[in-house]
Amino acid sequence: KELSIAIASLDRESLQMFLEDPTIYDHYVDEVPCPMYLNLITTRLQSGYYRTVAHIRHDIGLLLHNYKLYNAGEDSEWVAEIQEMLLECVESELRC
């Protein structure tokens, strides 16, 4: 629940590319073998899909990894900040 709220509160413009299924972009599936996006993570959280926190962390980590694969050579520091914030939300939810 906390992670879903955090996703909703992030700046929509800078986050837009991470919300929806990225396979709509040209050649995405050719370059990224395991697409991941925030709406899928949210759906999985709400449905009880994740069995461990490690699986949640893995899917969040895919966001940064996939960005680097598809956008090779572009600055990804800001994406790492988004990943860090999302992981912090997961950790804070576990402490409750």
Side-chain angles (χ1 to χ4, degrees), residues 48-81:
Y49 172 87
Y50 294 110
R51 299 287 184 212
T52 68
V53 175
H55 291 130
I56 300 169
R57 288 185 189 122
H58 176 267
D59 281 357
I60 291 171
L62 278 176
L63 294 172
L64 177 58
H65 178 74
N66 291 349
Y67 179 86
K68 286 180 177 181
L69 283 176
Y70 190 69
N71 300 287
E74 291 185 25
D75 177 37
S76 62
E77 187 173 321
W78 64 275
V79 179
E81 291 173 12

Side-chain angles (χ1 to χ4, degrees), residues 21-90:
D21 186 348
T23 59
I24 62 169
Y25 298 112
D26 290 337
H27 309 288
Y28 191 88
V29 293
D30 297 332
E31 298 178 39
V32 178
C34 188
M36 184 53 57
Y37 51 101
L38 289 175
N39 284 344
L40 178 58
I41 293 172
T42 300
T43 299
R44 287 177 170 185
L45 284 166
Q46 293 169 347
S47 70
Y49 172 87
Y50 294 110
R51 299 287 184 212
T52 68
V53 175
H55 291 130
I56 300 169
R57 288 185 189 122
H58 176 267
D59 281 357
I60 291 171
L62 278 176
L63 294 172
L64 177 58
H65 178 74
N66 291 349
Y67 179 86
K68 286 180 177 181
L69 283 176
Y70 190 69
N71 300 287
E74 291 185 25
D75 177 37
S76 62
E77 187 173 321
W78 64 275
V79 179
E81 291 173 12
I82 291 172
Q83 179 186 12
E84 183 178 322
M85 191 277 309
L86 292 172
L87 290 172
E88 285 176 13
C89 289
V90 169

